[in-house]
Amino acid sequence: IRSEAIKLEKMEVVSQLAASISHEIRNPLTVVKGFMQLMKAKDISEEAKEQYMNIALEELNRACAIIDDYLTFAKPFPEKIEPLHVQQELEKVIHMLRPLANMHGVQIVATLTPATVIGNAQYFRQCFLNIIKNGIEAMENGGALYVDVHVDEKAATIVVRDEGEGMTKEQLARFGEPYFSTKEKGTGLGAMVSIRIIEMMNGTWNIKSEKGRGTTITVSFPLLLEK
Ligand code: ADP
Ligand code: MG
């Protein structure tokens, strides 16, 4: 019964996510289409062409950023709900983000421990990709980003802490709101996707942030208790 409930809930989330992705990506593509059509006009100046081209490229970059926030790990076969290994999955995400961390002069310090929870590994990775990426991006001048896992009798808790720019109270209140972004080229979708995934996996989350000091995001998932 429990697994049936999870399946139903999951299908809803999947179709909701799919619907929002197509919506999100259609907007920039429509803009690109418009400018391509303009560029076909015969009497168009080189200058205007250059300008249209730049706008089109910007919009394509935006479409890519949206796909990164939703679908980095998407695979062309149906997702499964299954036991997933928190440590292994986090290691994959951290491995993937090392180049970005290096670019920002950020050191990722991971203290991981094995834990098994139930959920979908792709979504789990997407969730932490978005959270850790935000942590890295918050550290303009480098620093350390900590990823810890704690396990007790009931839950696996993942703590992601950065020493970055932090958020004001107002920003904190808007964390996870669609399109809320303080970044020049931000989508404002990454945090929302992470939160949806946590909730879909029956997890809980909490965020603490202080302007100028850093941010800590704590996420807990019920342990899969093997019998
Ligand atoms: P994006 O990264 O595209 O801006 P997100 O939804 O991932 O969109 O994040 C929304 C906003 O939340 C960010 O623009 C930033 O202002 C804030 N934020 C999220 N994570 C952090 C963090 N670790 N430190 C500081 N601000 C953060
Ligand atoms: Mg982000």
Side-chain angles (χ1 to χ4, degrees):
I1 292 169
R2 189 172 130 82
S3 87
E4 285 302 306
I6 293 175
K7 257 186 217 153
L8 265 182
E9 222 176 282
K10 184 202 70 156
M11 293 317 294
E12 255 166 52
V13 176
V14 171
S15 59
Q16 270 176 28
L17 273 182
S20 35
I21 299 161
S22 25
H23 172 78
E24 299 304 338
I25 294 173
R26 185 167 284 123
N27 291 336
L29 292 185
T30 304
V31 177
V32 171
K33 193 171 156 191
F35 280 100
M36 299 294 259
Q37 274 158 352
L38 283 176
M39 276 166 33
K40 272 174 73 180
K42 291 204 178 66
D43 53 351
I44 184 175
S45 72
E46 278 305 311
E47 218 182 5
K49 222 182 225 171
E50 171 84 17
Q51 199 192 346
Y52 295 166
M53 192 79 96
N54 285 335
I55 296 171
L57 281 173
E58 287 273 307
E59 291 298 317
L60 288 177
N61 280 332
R62 182 172 163 76
C64 288
I66 291 166
I67 291 171
D68 287 342
D69 279 350
Y70 280 105
L71 293 171
T72 303
F73 300 100
K75 296 218 179 79
F77 48 77
E79 306 85 357
K80 280 185 282 182
I81 295 282
E82 58 196 350
L84 71 86
H85 302 288
V86 167
Q87 173 167 11
Q88 254 171 252
E89 301 306 333
L90 287 174
E91 271 163 5
K92 286 183 200 163
V93 174
I94 291 168
H95 177 75
M96 187 170 175
L97 285 172
R98 288 246 190 247
L100 180 76
N102 290 338
M103 250 169 51
H104 283 253
V106 169
Q107 200 201 344
I108 302 181
V109 184
T111 312
L112 309 179
T113 163
T116 307
V117 301
I118 190 139
N120 176 265
Q122 279 164 235
Y123 281 148
F124 180 90
R125 292 199 290 264
Q126 183 76 61
C127 171
F128 287 94
L129 180 88
N130 295 356
I131 291 173
I132 298 172
K133 200 164 146 218
N134 280 339
I136 294 169
E137 287 168 352
M139 289 188 274
E140 282 273 287
N141 306 310
L145 181 133
Y146 300 89
V147 184
D148 293 335
V149 177
H150 307 283
V151 182
D152 63 20
E153 320 80 73
K154 285 189 176 154
T157 301
I158 300 121
V159 183
V160 178
R161 177 165 68 89
D162 68 62
E163 303 172 324
E165 61 185 347
M167 288 178 252
T168 63
K169 270 204 181 114
E170 290 73 24
Q171 288 167 352
L172 195 55
R174 299 189 62 187
F175 176 82
E177 179 186 305
Y179 309 112
F180 166 66
S181 177
T182 53
K183 296 168 197 169
E184 199 192 333
K185 290 186 178 155
T187 62
L189 297 170
M192 179 205 69
V193 167
S194 294
I195 291 170
R196 284 223 216 146
I197 291 171
I198 295 164
E199 289 171 355
M200 149 188 146
M201 283 180 53
N202 299 316
T204 56
W205 62 280
N206 171 273
I207 181 168
K208 288 200 166 67
S209 188
E210 208 179 318
K211 192 73 200 164
R213 306 209 59 144
T215 300
T216 303
I217 296 181
T218 305
V219 182
S220 290
F221 296 108
L223 280 184
L224 174 68
L225 300 169
E226 329 239 12
K227 277 172 242 158

